[in-house]
Amino acid sequence: MKYRVFAVRDGKVEQFLPPMCFQTAGEAERWFADVVNDGKSIMWRHPGDYAIYEIGGFDSETGALTSVQHGLVATGVDVFAVQDIPREVKNG
């Protein structure tokens, strides 16, 4: 199976995190959005510092890696969702 390889770049550190494989850019963006919007992650606290890029390809049958020109998929700000904080409703 052919996969696409993606990596998150930390702009403050000026380095990429270890790469991950996904089948599509949409799948990678969904994963990234989930992490950025997880209130326990460092990406949630600093969404403007992170972006996800497509950096290559991987063929699981041959083990071959291919490189591509780095393509921006999304920034943390692009996928950050402002959510209402649940409030307790008191009756009475």
Side-chain angles (χ1 to χ4, degrees):
M1 176 175 257
K2 293 192 185 333
Y3 291 94
R4 294 163 73 177
V5 182
F6 299 85
V8 173
R9 186 169 195 287
D10 181 336
K12 293 287 189 216
V13 178
E14 298 180 356
Q15 291 187 9
F16 284 89
L17 302 176
M20 298 158 287
C21 294
F22 295 99
Q23 292 181 355
T24 66
E27 182 183 17
E29 184 175 353
R30 179 178 57 207
W31 170 86
F32 182 59
D34 286 347
V35 174
V36 169
N37 288 290
D38 178 348
K40 297 176 186 164
S41 86
I42 192 165
M43 290 186 210
W44 178 77
R45 289 190 291 272
H46 308 283
D49 293 349
Y50 297 93
I52 189 166
Y53 291 83
E54 184 170 3
I55 61 169
F58 171 67
D59 186 323
S60 66
E61 292 180 21
T62 65
L65 293 169
T66 55
S67 68
V68 298
Q69 184 173 349
H70 292 181
L72 176 66
V73 175
T75 69
V77 172
D78 291 339
V79 299
F80 186 73
V82 177
Q83 299 174 4
D84 290 331
I85 298 171
R87 291 181 259 171
E88 185 177 316
V89 177
K90 296 186 180 185
N91 294 325

